[in-house]
């Protein structure tokens, strides 16, 4: 059984942890330039369309997840039902990778979004990021189609309640 996951809203005091995680090779591989991503993540702290969370197991933060309204920057994924939320995430702590936490915390987080009324949740991993795709599939997402985004080609994945 998966441990209970805690999704605490991210605050400015979490930024040093985010900076450290973004610089790690396993995060940098898929999120890109750490300085650029840090600027984006830190700049979104006050963005009303973006909710950011630190993911923890009791007593230990280990990951990040962002959940957002689909707005102008998501036009590449096409029309979605009103209220659809998008997510992106990473596991920051290297020793937490490959233990099943990714799919388990994603499933838990998305289940919570459905409980508060989201009609659908989408994500768009790089089509070559097989670990992320597998985690999303294990969390109940299905592959929809390849889409063109501002970051390049992505695999649109969809989960419905």
């Amino acid at each position: 059984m998966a441990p209970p996951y805690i999704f605490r809203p991210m605050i400015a005091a979490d930024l040093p942890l985010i900076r450290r995680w973004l610089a790690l090779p396993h995060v940098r591989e898929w999120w890109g330039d750490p300085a650029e991503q840090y600027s984006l993540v830190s700049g979104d702290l006050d963005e009303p369309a973006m909710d950011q969370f630190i993911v923890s197991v009791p007593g230990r933060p280990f990951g990040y997840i962002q959940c957002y309204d689909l707005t102008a920057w998501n036009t590449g994924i096409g029309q979605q039902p009103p209220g659809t939320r998008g997510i992106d995430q990473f596991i920051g702590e290297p020793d937490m990778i490959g233990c099943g936490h990714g799919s388990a915390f994603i499933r838990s987080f998305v289940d919570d979004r459905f409980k508060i009324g989201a009609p659908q949740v989408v994500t768009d991993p790089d089509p070559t990021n097989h670990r992320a795709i597998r985690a999303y599939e294990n969390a109940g997402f299905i592959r929809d189609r390849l889409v063109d985004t501002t970051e390049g080609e992505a695999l649109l994945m969809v989960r419905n309640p």
Side-chain angles (χ1 to χ4, degrees):
M1 182 167 170
Y5 295 101
I6 301 158
F7 304 101
R8 179 180 54 75
M10 191 174 91
I11 58 174
D14 296 313
L15 291 174
L17 179 62
I18 293 294
R19 183 186 300 273
R20 180 175 66 81
W21 285 343
L22 287 167
L24 294 172
H26 71 277
V27 177
R28 183 182 183 140
E29 178 180 8
W30 300 109
W31 278 64
D33 178 63
E36 179 183 334
Q37 290 303 313
Y38 179 80
S39 177
L40 292 169
V41 169
S42 62
D44 282 338
L45 272 175
D46 296 320
E47 169 56 52
M50 176 76 72
D51 298 321
Q52 300 169 295
F53 300 89
I54 298 297
V55 184
S56 301
V57 291
R60 183 170 186 214
F62 72 91
Y64 168 82
I65 190 164
Q66 60 185 27
C67 181
Y68 47 88
D69 293 327
L70 301 182
T71 62
W73 76 79
N74 310 108
T75 57
I77 68 167
Q79 193 69 19
Q80 301 298 321
T84 295
R85 302 286 284 175
I87 62 168
D88 299 300
Q89 56 77 35
F90 62 77
I91 293 176
E93 296 299 330
D95 65 330
M96 297 293 275
I97 295 172
C99 304
H101 292 294
S103 57
F105 88 74
I106 293 166
R107 179 179 294 281
S108 177
F109 183 84
V110 172
D111 287 348
D112 288 348
R113 300 296 73 91
F114 292 144
K115 288 176 189 169
I116 59 174
Q120 177 177 274
V121 177
V122 298
T123 191
D124 59 350
D126 184 300
T128 62
N129 189 343
H130 302 293
R131 174 177 276 147
I133 293 167
R134 186 172 55 251
Y136 285 120
E137 287 176 330
N138 288 340
F141 283 77
I142 59 167
R143 298 175 192 221
D144 187 64
R145 68 186 182 282
L146 293 175
V147 295
D148 290 318
T149 71
T150 56
E151 288 87 33
E153 188 175 64
L155 175 62
L156 179 64
M157 300 185 75
V158 177
R159 180 158 170 224
N160 293 299

